[in-house]
PDB file of all heavy atoms in Angstrom:
ATOM      1  N   ASN A  18      -9.831  -6.764  -2.897  1.00  0.00           N
ATOM      2  CA  ASN A  18     -11.223  -6.470  -2.412  1.00  0.00           C
ATOM      3  C   ASN A  18     -11.884  -5.394  -3.240  1.00  0.00           C
ATOM      4  O   ASN A  18     -13.001  -4.986  -2.971  1.00  0.00           O
ATOM      5  CB  ASN A  18     -11.322  -6.238  -0.914  1.00  0.00           C
ATOM      6  CG  ASN A  18     -10.598  -4.876  -0.577  1.00  0.00           C
ATOM      7  OD1 ASN A  18     -10.149  -4.140  -1.517  1.00  0.00           O
ATOM      8  ND2 ASN A  18     -10.469  -4.662   0.683  1.00  0.00           N
ATOM      9  N   GLY A  19     -11.111  -4.854  -4.202  1.00  0.00           N
ATOM     10  CA  GLY A  19     -11.723  -3.794  -5.059  1.00  0.00           C
ATOM     11  C   GLY A  19     -11.297  -2.422  -4.756  1.00  0.00           C
ATOM     12  O   GLY A  19     -11.618  -1.467  -5.446  1.00  0.00           O
ATOM     13  N   SER A  20     -10.695  -2.238  -3.646  1.00  0.00           N
ATOM     14  CA  SER A  20     -10.301  -0.883  -3.148  1.00  0.00           C
ATOM     15  C   SER A  20      -9.148  -0.366  -4.017  1.00  0.00           C
ATOM     16  O   SER A  20      -8.219  -1.102  -4.487  1.00  0.00           O
ATOM     17  CB  SER A  20      -9.856  -0.892  -1.686  1.00  0.00           C
ATOM     18  OG  SER A  20     -10.983  -1.334  -0.857  1.00  0.00           O
ATOM     19  N   VAL A  21      -9.053   0.940  -4.256  1.00  0.00           N
ATOM     20  CA  VAL A  21      -7.981   1.633  -4.929  1.00  0.00           C
ATOM     21  C   VAL A  21      -7.510   2.767  -4.095  1.00  0.00           C
ATOM     22  O   VAL A  21      -8.244   3.668  -3.667  1.00  0.00           O
ATOM     23  CB  VAL A  21      -8.475   2.145  -6.393  1.00  0.00           C
ATOM     24  CG1 VAL A  21      -7.360   2.850  -7.041  1.00  0.00           C
ATOM     25  CG2 VAL A  21      -9.053   1.009  -7.154  1.00  0.00           C
ATOM     26  N   ILE A  22      -6.195   2.721  -3.836  1.00  0.00           N
ATOM     27  CA  ILE A  22      -5.569   3.737  -2.996  1.00  0.00           C
ATOM     28  C   ILE A  22      -4.455   4.463  -3.728  1.00  0.00           C
ATOM     29  O   ILE A  22      -3.587   3.789  -4.360  1.00  0.00           O
ATOM     30  CB  ILE A  22      -4.921   3.154  -1.658  1.00  0.00           C
ATOM     31  CG1 ILE A  22      -6.046   2.524  -0.892  1.00  0.00           C
ATOM     32  CG2 ILE A  22      -4.310   4.201  -0.811  1.00  0.00           C
ATOM     33  CD1 ILE A  22      -6.236   0.975  -1.112  1.00  0.00           C
ATOM     34  N   LYS A  23      -4.496   5.757  -3.766  1.00  0.00           N
ATOM     35  CA  LYS A  23      -3.422   6.537  -4.497  1.00  0.00           C
ATOM     36  C   LYS A  23      -2.541   7.245  -3.520  1.00  0.00           C
ATOM     37  O   LYS A  23      -3.005   7.762  -2.437  1.00  0.00           O
ATOM     38  CB  LYS A  23      -4.101   7.550  -5.395  1.00  0.00           C
ATOM     39  CG  LYS A  23      -4.890   6.960  -6.571  1.00  0.00           C
ATOM     40  CD  LYS A  23      -5.503   8.065  -7.391  1.00  0.00           C
ATOM     41  CE  LYS A  23      -6.330   7.471  -8.527  1.00  0.00           C
ATOM     42  NZ  LYS A  23      -5.447   6.815  -9.580  1.00  0.00           N
ATOM     43  N   GLY A  24      -1.238   7.244  -3.797  1.00  0.00           N
ATOM     44  CA  GLY A  24      -0.288   7.923  -2.884  1.00  0.00           C
ATOM     45  C   GLY A  24       1.149   7.521  -3.207  1.00  0.00           C
ATOM     46  O   GLY A  24       1.482   7.405  -4.394  1.00  0.00           O
ATOM     47  N   VAL A  25       1.967   7.348  -2.155  1.00  0.00           N
ATOM     48  CA  VAL A  25       3.359   7.019  -2.395  1.00  0.00           C
ATOM     49  C   VAL A  25       3.783   5.814  -1.466  1.00  0.00           C
ATOM     50  O   VAL A  25       3.454   5.848  -0.301  1.00  0.00           O
ATOM     51  CB  VAL A  25       4.193   8.224  -2.037  1.00  0.00           C
ATOM     52  CG1 VAL A  25       5.746   7.886  -2.159  1.00  0.00           C
ATOM     53  CG2 VAL A  25       3.970   9.431  -2.906  1.00  0.00           C
ATOM     54  N   VAL A  26       4.318   4.812  -2.079  1.00  0.00           N
ATOM     55  CA  VAL A  26       4.787   3.653  -1.321  1.00  0.00           C
ATOM     56  C   VAL A  26       6.090   4.105  -0.560  1.00  0.00           C
ATOM     57  O   VAL A  26       7.134   4.398  -1.212  1.00  0.00           O
ATOM     58  CB  VAL A  26       5.087   2.431  -2.237  1.00  0.00           C
ATOM     59  CG1 VAL A  26       5.687   1.317  -1.339  1.00  0.00           C
ATOM     60  CG2 VAL A  26       3.790   1.973  -2.838  1.00  0.00           C
ATOM     61  N   ILE A  27       6.055   4.185   0.759  1.00  0.00           N
ATOM     62  CA  ILE A  27       7.210   4.565   1.478  1.00  0.00           C
ATOM     63  C   ILE A  27       8.048   3.484   2.143  1.00  0.00           C
ATOM     64  O   ILE A  27       9.165   3.754   2.607  1.00  0.00           O
ATOM     65  CB  ILE A  27       6.757   5.554   2.630  1.00  0.00           C
ATOM     66  CG1 ILE A  27       5.740   4.893   3.566  1.00  0.00           C
ATOM     67  CG2 ILE A  27       6.158   6.871   2.027  1.00  0.00           C
ATOM     68  CD1 ILE A  27       5.430   5.746   4.791  1.00  0.00           C
ATOM     69  N   GLU A  28       7.404   2.274   2.100  1.00  0.00           N
ATOM     70  CA  GLU A  28       8.222   1.166   2.632  1.00  0.00           C
ATOM     71  C   GLU A  28       7.667  -0.125   2.000  1.00  0.00           C
ATOM     72  O   GLU A  28       6.429  -0.241   1.908  1.00  0.00           O
ATOM     73  CB  GLU A  28       8.113   1.065   4.132  1.00  0.00           C
ATOM     74  CG  GLU A  28       8.872  -0.160   4.801  1.00  0.00           C
ATOM     75  CD  GLU A  28       8.758  -0.203   6.240  1.00  0.00           C
ATOM     76  OE1 GLU A  28       9.258   0.716   6.924  1.00  0.00           O
ATOM     77  OE2 GLU A  28       8.133  -1.118   6.776  1.00  0.00           O
ATOM     78  N   GLN A  29       8.509  -1.017   1.613  1.00  0.00           N
ATOM     79  CA  GLN A  29       8.020  -2.261   1.014  1.00  0.00           C
ATOM     80  C   GLN A  29       8.908  -3.412   1.356  1.00  0.00           C
ATOM     81  O   GLN A  29      10.179  -3.339   1.173  1.00  0.00           O
ATOM     82  CB  GLN A  29       7.936  -2.174  -0.541  1.00  0.00           C
ATOM     83  CG  GLN A  29       7.413  -3.367  -1.221  1.00  0.00           C
ATOM     84  CD  GLN A  29       7.101  -3.210  -2.658  1.00  0.00           C
ATOM     85  OE1 GLN A  29       7.258  -2.053  -3.181  1.00  0.00           O
ATOM     86  NE2 GLN A  29       6.716  -4.219  -3.395  1.00  0.00           N
ATOM     87  N   ILE A  30       8.353  -4.486   1.888  1.00  0.00           N
ATOM     88  CA  ILE A  30       9.123  -5.715   2.201  1.00  0.00           C
ATOM     89  C   ILE A  30       8.572  -6.737   1.153  1.00  0.00           C
ATOM     90  O   ILE A  30       7.481  -7.171   1.217  1.00  0.00           O
ATOM     91  CB  ILE A  30       8.859  -6.223   3.563  1.00  0.00           C
ATOM     92  CG1 ILE A  30       9.238  -5.114   4.660  1.00  0.00           C
ATOM     93  CG2 ILE A  30       9.589  -7.499   3.879  1.00  0.00           C
ATOM     94  CD1 ILE A  30       8.877  -5.484   6.121  1.00  0.00           C
ATOM     95  N   PRO A  31       9.452  -7.076   0.201  1.00  0.00           N
ATOM     96  CA  PRO A  31       9.017  -7.946  -0.924  1.00  0.00           C
ATOM     97  C   PRO A  31       8.352  -9.198  -0.416  1.00  0.00           C
ATOM     98  O   PRO A  31       8.875  -9.986   0.391  1.00  0.00           O
ATOM     99  CB  PRO A  31      10.306  -8.255  -1.687  1.00  0.00           C
ATOM    100  CG  PRO A  31      11.182  -7.013  -1.416  1.00  0.00           C
ATOM    101  CD  PRO A  31      10.870  -6.718   0.030  1.00  0.00           C
ATOM    102  N   GLY A  32       7.131  -9.431  -0.917  1.00  0.00           N
ATOM    103  CA  GLY A  32       6.401 -10.634  -0.633  1.00  0.00           C
ATOM    104  C   GLY A  32       5.728 -10.677   0.762  1.00  0.00           C
ATOM    105  O   GLY A  32       5.062 -11.614   1.095  1.00  0.00           O
ATOM    106  N   VAL A  33       5.926  -9.604   1.491  1.00  0.00           N
ATOM    107  CA  VAL A  33       5.401  -9.570   2.867  1.00  0.00           C
ATOM    108  C   VAL A  33       4.378  -8.419   3.064  1.00  0.00           C
ATOM    109  O   VAL A  33       3.148  -8.689   3.308  1.00  0.00           O
ATOM    110  CB  VAL A  33       6.463  -9.411   3.902  1.00  0.00           C
ATOM    111  CG1 VAL A  33       5.895  -9.466   5.355  1.00  0.00           C
ATOM    112  CG2 VAL A  33       7.491 -10.572   3.777  1.00  0.00           C
ATOM    113  N   SER A  34       4.884  -7.199   2.918  1.00  0.00           N
ATOM    114  CA  SER A  34       3.933  -6.039   3.258  1.00  0.00           C
ATOM    115  C   SER A  34       4.427  -4.747   2.617  1.00  0.00           C
ATOM    116  O   SER A  34       5.585  -4.763   2.121  1.00  0.00           O
ATOM    117  CB  SER A  34       3.820  -5.854   4.766  1.00  0.00           C
ATOM    118  OG  SER A  34       5.026  -5.517   5.342  1.00  0.00           O
ATOM    119  N   LEU A  35       3.649  -3.728   2.647  1.00  0.00           N
ATOM    120  CA  LEU A  35       4.054  -2.387   2.212  1.00  0.00           C
ATOM    121  C   LEU A  35       3.294  -1.339   2.964  1.00  0.00           C
ATOM    122  O   LEU A  35       2.236  -1.644   3.591  1.00  0.00           O
ATOM    123  CB  LEU A  35       3.852  -2.241   0.741  1.00  0.00           C
ATOM    124  CG  LEU A  35       2.438  -2.322   0.135  1.00  0.00           C
ATOM    125  CD1 LEU A  35       1.673  -1.023   0.267  1.00  0.00           C
ATOM    126  CD2 LEU A  35       2.531  -2.643  -1.341  1.00  0.00           C
ATOM    127  N   LYS A  36       3.830  -0.102   2.984  1.00  0.00           N
ATOM    128  CA  LYS A  36       3.179   1.012   3.599  1.00  0.00           C
ATOM    129  C   LYS A  36       2.976   2.115   2.524  1.00  0.00           C
ATOM    130  O   LYS A  36       3.928   2.360   1.752  1.00  0.00           O
ATOM    131  CB  LYS A  36       3.991   1.545   4.763  1.00  0.00           C
ATOM    132  CG  LYS A  36       4.040   0.585   6.019  1.00  0.00           C
ATOM    133  CD  LYS A  36       4.849   1.281   7.152  1.00  0.00           C
ATOM    134  CE  LYS A  36       4.915   0.370   8.317  1.00  0.00           C
ATOM    135  NZ  LYS A  36       5.664   0.951   9.451  1.00  0.00           N
ATOM    136  N   MET A  37       1.855   2.735   2.468  1.00  0.00           N
ATOM    137  CA  MET A  37       1.560   3.785   1.528  1.00  0.00           C
ATOM    138  C   MET A  37       1.118   5.011   2.240  1.00  0.00           C
ATOM    139  O   MET A  37       0.285   4.968   3.168  1.00  0.00           O
ATOM    140  CB  MET A  37       0.486   3.310   0.544  1.00  0.00           C
ATOM    141  CG  MET A  37       0.012   4.409  -0.416  1.00  0.00           C
ATOM    142  SD  MET A  37      -1.018   3.807  -1.732  1.00  0.00           S
ATOM    143  CE  MET A  37       0.281   3.284  -2.871  1.00  0.00           C
ATOM    144  N   GLN A  38       1.684   6.175   1.837  1.00  0.00           N
ATOM    145  CA  GLN A  38       1.269   7.479   2.343  1.00  0.00           C
ATOM    146  C   GLN A  38       0.401   8.188   1.341  1.00  0.00           C
ATOM    147  O   GLN A  38       0.828   8.332   0.173  1.00  0.00           O
ATOM    148  CB  GLN A  38       2.505   8.357   2.667  1.00  0.00           C
ATOM    149  CG  GLN A  38       2.118   9.721   3.228  1.00  0.00           C
ATOM    150  CD  GLN A  38       3.408  10.469   3.654  1.00  0.00           C
ATOM    151  OE1 GLN A  38       4.494  10.014   3.565  1.00  0.00           O
ATOM    152  NE2 GLN A  38       3.178  11.679   4.129  1.00  0.00           N
ATOM    153  N   THR A  39      -0.739   8.593   1.707  1.00  0.00           N
ATOM    154  CA  THR A  39      -1.693   9.184   0.864  1.00  0.00           C
ATOM    155  C   THR A  39      -1.476  10.747   0.849  1.00  0.00           C
ATOM    156  O   THR A  39      -0.667  11.250   1.615  1.00  0.00           O
ATOM    157  CB  THR A  39      -3.165   8.918   1.229  1.00  0.00           C
ATOM    158  OG1 THR A  39      -3.372   9.330   2.635  1.00  0.00           O
ATOM    159  CG2 THR A  39      -3.538   7.423   1.165  1.00  0.00           C
ATOM    160  N   ASN A  40      -2.155  11.438  -0.090  1.00  0.00           N
ATOM    161  CA  ASN A  40      -1.887  12.901  -0.273  1.00  0.00           C
ATOM    162  C   ASN A  40      -2.159  13.670   0.972  1.00  0.00           C
ATOM    163  O   ASN A  40      -1.720  14.811   1.139  1.00  0.00           O
ATOM    164  CB  ASN A  40      -2.686  13.379  -1.442  1.00  0.00           C
ATOM    165  CG  ASN A  40      -2.115  12.928  -2.732  1.00  0.00           C
ATOM    166  OD1 ASN A  40      -0.957  12.568  -2.881  1.00  0.00           O
ATOM    167  ND2 ASN A  40      -2.974  12.869  -3.748  1.00  0.00           N
ATOM    168  N   ASP A  41      -3.051  13.208   1.878  1.00  0.00           N
ATOM    169  CA  ASP A  41      -3.353  13.921   3.154  1.00  0.00           C
ATOM    170  C   ASP A  41      -2.368  13.626   4.226  1.00  0.00           C
ATOM    171  O   ASP A  41      -2.516  14.161   5.349  1.00  0.00           O
ATOM    172  CB  ASP A  41      -4.750  13.693   3.532  1.00  0.00           C
ATOM    173  CG  ASP A  41      -5.024  12.200   3.946  1.00  0.00           C
ATOM    174  OD1 ASP A  41      -4.042  11.373   3.848  1.00  0.00           O
ATOM    175  OD2 ASP A  41      -6.136  11.864   4.315  1.00  0.00           O
ATOM    176  N   GLY A  42      -1.308  12.794   3.942  1.00  0.00           N
ATOM    177  CA  GLY A  42      -0.306  12.531   4.938  1.00  0.00           C
ATOM    178  C   GLY A  42      -0.579  11.232   5.663  1.00  0.00           C
ATOM    179  O   GLY A  42       0.229  10.783   6.487  1.00  0.00           O
ATOM    180  N   SER A  43      -1.740  10.567   5.544  1.00  0.00           N
ATOM    181  CA  SER A  43      -2.084   9.384   6.263  1.00  0.00           C
ATOM    182  C   SER A  43      -1.185   8.262   5.731  1.00  0.00           C
ATOM    183  O   SER A  43      -0.866   8.129   4.560  1.00  0.00           O
ATOM    184  CB  SER A  43      -3.544   9.007   6.141  1.00  0.00           C
ATOM    185  OG  SER A  43      -4.348  10.070   6.659  1.00  0.00           O
ATOM    186  N   ILE A  44      -0.846   7.320   6.639  1.00  0.00           N
ATOM    187  CA  ILE A  44      -0.031   6.074   6.284  1.00  0.00           C
ATOM    188  C   ILE A  44      -0.785   4.839   6.542  1.00  0.00           C
ATOM    189  O   ILE A  44      -1.350   4.698   7.696  1.00  0.00           O
ATOM    190  CB  ILE A  44       1.295   6.094   7.067  1.00  0.00           C
ATOM    191  CG1 ILE A  44       2.135   7.406   6.681  1.00  0.00           C
ATOM    192  CG2 ILE A  44       2.132   4.853   6.743  1.00  0.00           C
ATOM    193  CD1 ILE A  44       3.477   7.475   7.470  1.00  0.00           C
ATOM    194  N   PHE A  45      -0.910   3.994   5.601  1.00  0.00           N
ATOM    195  CA  PHE A  45      -1.555   2.696   5.696  1.00  0.00           C
ATOM    196  C   PHE A  45      -0.699   1.590   5.381  1.00  0.00           C
ATOM    197  O   PHE A  45       0.123   1.653   4.563  1.00  0.00           O
ATOM    198  CB  PHE A  45      -2.832   2.726   4.789  1.00  0.00           C
ATOM    199  CG  PHE A  45      -3.827   3.844   4.996  1.00  0.00           C
ATOM    200  CD1 PHE A  45      -3.749   4.990   4.284  1.00  0.00           C
ATOM    201  CD2 PHE A  45      -4.766   3.651   5.946  1.00  0.00           C
ATOM    202  CE1 PHE A  45      -4.577   6.064   4.518  1.00  0.00           C
ATOM    203  CE2 PHE A  45      -5.747   4.729   6.229  1.00  0.00           C
ATOM    204  CZ  PHE A  45      -5.596   5.907   5.464  1.00  0.00           C
ATOM    205  N   ALA A  46      -0.880   0.472   6.078  1.00  0.00           N
ATOM    206  CA  ALA A  46      -0.068  -0.802   5.892  1.00  0.00           C
ATOM    207  C   ALA A  46      -0.932  -1.875   5.255  1.00  0.00           C
ATOM    208  O   ALA A  46      -2.119  -2.060   5.657  1.00  0.00           O
ATOM    209  CB  ALA A  46       0.510  -1.267   7.214  1.00  0.00           C
ATOM    210  N   TYR A  47      -0.394  -2.629   4.364  1.00  0.00           N
ATOM    211  CA  TYR A  47      -1.183  -3.687   3.685  1.00  0.00           C
ATOM    212  C   TYR A  47      -0.292  -4.903   3.527  1.00  0.00           C
ATOM    213  O   TYR A  47       0.935  -4.848   3.365  1.00  0.00           O
ATOM    214  CB  TYR A  47      -1.590  -3.217   2.381  1.00  0.00           C
ATOM    215  CG  TYR A  47      -2.495  -2.015   2.286  1.00  0.00           C
ATOM    216  CD1 TYR A  47      -1.916  -0.760   2.090  1.00  0.00           C
ATOM    217  CD2 TYR A  47      -3.819  -2.082   2.543  1.00  0.00           C
ATOM    218  CE1 TYR A  47      -2.685   0.385   2.076  1.00  0.00           C
ATOM    219  CE2 TYR A  47      -4.590  -0.938   2.512  1.00  0.00           C
ATOM    220  CZ  TYR A  47      -4.005   0.207   2.323  1.00  0.00           C
ATOM    221  OH  TYR A  47      -4.802   1.410   2.326  1.00  0.00           O
ATOM    222  N   LYS A  48      -0.885  -6.092   3.635  1.00  0.00           N
ATOM    223  CA  LYS A  48      -0.171  -7.318   3.332  1.00  0.00           C
ATOM    224  C   LYS A  48      -0.111  -7.566   1.865  1.00  0.00           C
ATOM    225  O   LYS A  48      -1.127  -7.262   1.172  1.00  0.00           O
ATOM    226  CB  LYS A  48      -0.835  -8.502   4.056  1.00  0.00           C
ATOM    227  CG  LYS A  48      -0.846  -8.451   5.574  1.00  0.00           C
ATOM    228  CD  LYS A  48      -1.581  -9.642   6.199  1.00  0.00           C
ATOM    229  CE  LYS A  48      -1.532  -9.594   7.699  1.00  0.00           C
ATOM    230  NZ  LYS A  48      -2.247 -10.767   8.279  1.00  0.00           N
ATOM    231  N   MET A  49       0.986  -8.038   1.359  1.00  0.00           N
ATOM    232  CA  MET A  49       1.147  -8.244  -0.050  1.00  0.00           C
ATOM    233  C   MET A  49       0.136  -9.302  -0.618  1.00  0.00           C
ATOM    234  O   MET A  49      -0.197  -9.226  -1.714  1.00  0.00           O
ATOM    235  CB  MET A  49       2.546  -8.709  -0.389  1.00  0.00           C
ATOM    236  CG  MET A  49       3.652  -7.657  -0.118  1.00  0.00           C
ATOM    237  SD  MET A  49       3.316  -6.108  -1.107  1.00  0.00           S
ATOM    238  CE  MET A  49       3.422  -6.668  -2.764  1.00  0.00           C
ATOM    239  N   GLU A  50      -0.336 -10.165   0.207  1.00  0.00           N
ATOM    240  CA  GLU A  50      -1.297 -11.197  -0.134  1.00  0.00           C
ATOM    241  C   GLU A  50      -2.589 -10.592  -0.490  1.00  0.00           C
ATOM    242  O   GLU A  50      -3.507 -11.204  -1.180  1.00  0.00           O
ATOM    243  CB  GLU A  50      -1.459 -12.228   0.923  1.00  0.00           C
ATOM    244  CG  GLU A  50      -2.010 -11.774   2.263  1.00  0.00           C
ATOM    245  CD  GLU A  50      -1.965 -12.842   3.262  1.00  0.00           C
ATOM    246  OE1 GLU A  50      -1.025 -13.617   3.325  1.00  0.00           O
ATOM    247  OE2 GLU A  50      -2.873 -12.801   4.133  1.00  0.00           O
ATOM    248  N   ASP A  51      -2.869  -9.366  -0.022  1.00  0.00           N
ATOM    249  CA  ASP A  51      -4.064  -8.572  -0.277  1.00  0.00           C
ATOM    250  C   ASP A  51      -4.016  -7.655  -1.476  1.00  0.00           C
ATOM    251  O   ASP A  51      -4.956  -7.055  -1.861  1.00  0.00           O
ATOM    252  CB  ASP A  51      -4.531  -7.814   0.929  1.00  0.00           C
ATOM    253  CG  ASP A  51      -4.838  -8.687   2.121  1.00  0.00           C
ATOM    254  OD1 ASP A  51      -5.264  -9.796   1.928  1.00  0.00           O
ATOM    255  OD2 ASP A  51      -4.526  -8.235   3.237  1.00  0.00           O
ATOM    256  N   VAL A  52      -2.765  -7.611  -2.134  1.00  0.00           N
ATOM    257  CA  VAL A  52      -2.538  -6.592  -3.165  1.00  0.00           C
ATOM    258  C   VAL A  52      -2.662  -7.303  -4.488  1.00  0.00           C
ATOM    259  O   VAL A  52      -2.085  -8.343  -4.705  1.00  0.00           O
ATOM    260  CB  VAL A  52      -1.121  -6.035  -3.053  1.00  0.00           C
ATOM    261  CG1 VAL A  52      -0.830  -5.083  -4.227  1.00  0.00           C
ATOM    262  CG2 VAL A  52      -1.045  -5.185  -1.697  1.00  0.00           C
ATOM    263  N   GLU A  53      -3.448  -6.712  -5.377  1.00  0.00           N
ATOM    264  CA  GLU A  53      -3.599  -7.204  -6.760  1.00  0.00           C
ATOM    265  C   GLU A  53      -2.425  -6.681  -7.674  1.00  0.00           C
ATOM    266  O   GLU A  53      -1.802  -7.436  -8.341  1.00  0.00           O
ATOM    267  CB  GLU A  53      -4.929  -6.863  -7.316  1.00  0.00           C
ATOM    268  CG  GLU A  53      -5.148  -7.411  -8.756  1.00  0.00           C
ATOM    269  CD  GLU A  53      -6.471  -7.101  -9.302  1.00  0.00           C
ATOM    270  OE1 GLU A  53      -7.403  -6.731  -8.484  1.00  0.00           O
ATOM    271  OE2 GLU A  53      -6.689  -7.148 -10.551  1.00  0.00           O
ATOM    272  N   LYS A  54      -2.235  -5.366  -7.616  1.00  0.00           N
ATOM    273  CA  LYS A  54      -1.133  -4.769  -8.458  1.00  0.00           C
ATOM    274  C   LYS A  54      -0.889  -3.415  -7.932  1.00  0.00           C
ATOM    275  O   LYS A  54      -1.623  -2.756  -7.227  1.00  0.00           O
ATOM    276  CB  LYS A  54      -1.518  -4.734  -9.904  1.00  0.00           C
ATOM    277  CG  LYS A  54      -2.694  -3.934 -10.222  1.00  0.00           C
ATOM    278  CD  LYS A  54      -2.980  -3.882 -11.775  1.00  0.00           C
ATOM    279  CE  LYS A  54      -4.242  -3.036 -12.071  1.00  0.00           C
ATOM    280  NZ  LYS A  54      -4.438  -2.937 -13.521  1.00  0.00           N
ATOM    281  N   ILE A  55       0.331  -2.799  -8.373  1.00  0.00           N
ATOM    282  CA  ILE A  55       0.728  -1.437  -8.048  1.00  0.00           C
ATOM    283  C   ILE A  55       1.113  -0.778  -9.368  1.00  0.00           C
ATOM    284  O   ILE A  55       1.968  -1.403 -10.116  1.00  0.00           O
ATOM    285  CB  ILE A  55       1.865  -1.398  -7.061  1.00  0.00           C
ATOM    286  CG1 ILE A  55       1.552  -2.186  -5.760  1.00  0.00           C
ATOM    287  CG2 ILE A  55       2.280   0.036  -6.766  1.00  0.00           C
ATOM    288  CD1 ILE A  55       2.696  -2.265  -4.827  1.00  0.00           C
ATOM    289  N   THR A  56       0.567   0.348  -9.632  1.00  0.00           N
ATOM    290  CA  THR A  56       0.888   1.030 -10.893  1.00  0.00           C
ATOM    291  C   THR A  56       1.211   2.491 -10.518  1.00  0.00           C
ATOM    292  O   THR A  56       0.981   3.023  -9.490  1.00  0.00           O
ATOM    293  CB  THR A  56      -0.278   1.009 -11.877  1.00  0.00           C
ATOM    294  OG1 THR A  56      -1.414   1.795 -11.316  1.00  0.00           O
ATOM    295  CG2 THR A  56      -0.732  -0.405 -12.175  1.00  0.00           C
TER     296      THR A  56
END
């Protein structure tokens, strides 16, 4: 959808979902079908 999130991937289920922790300590979950790429 064009969003860019910077942080640390703390959990990843291949092909299903991942969780990312941003620099302020917040944790967000995303479905892999919504992810374009991780760098």
Side-chain angles (χ1 to χ4, degrees):
N18 64 9
S20 299
V21 179
I22 301 94
K23 295 180 181 290
V25 177
V26 176
I27 59 174
E28 180 181 294
Q29 183 171 355
I30 302 175
V33 180
S34 65
L35 63 80
K36 291 182 180 179
M37 173 168 278
Q38 181 174 359
T39 57
N40 289 336
D41 64 0
S43 300
I44 297 177
F45 301 93
Y47 302 95
K48 294 181 179 179
M49 292 303 297
E50 63 188 33
D51 298 326
V52 176
E53 180 178 342
K54 65 178 179 178
I55 304 173
T56 64

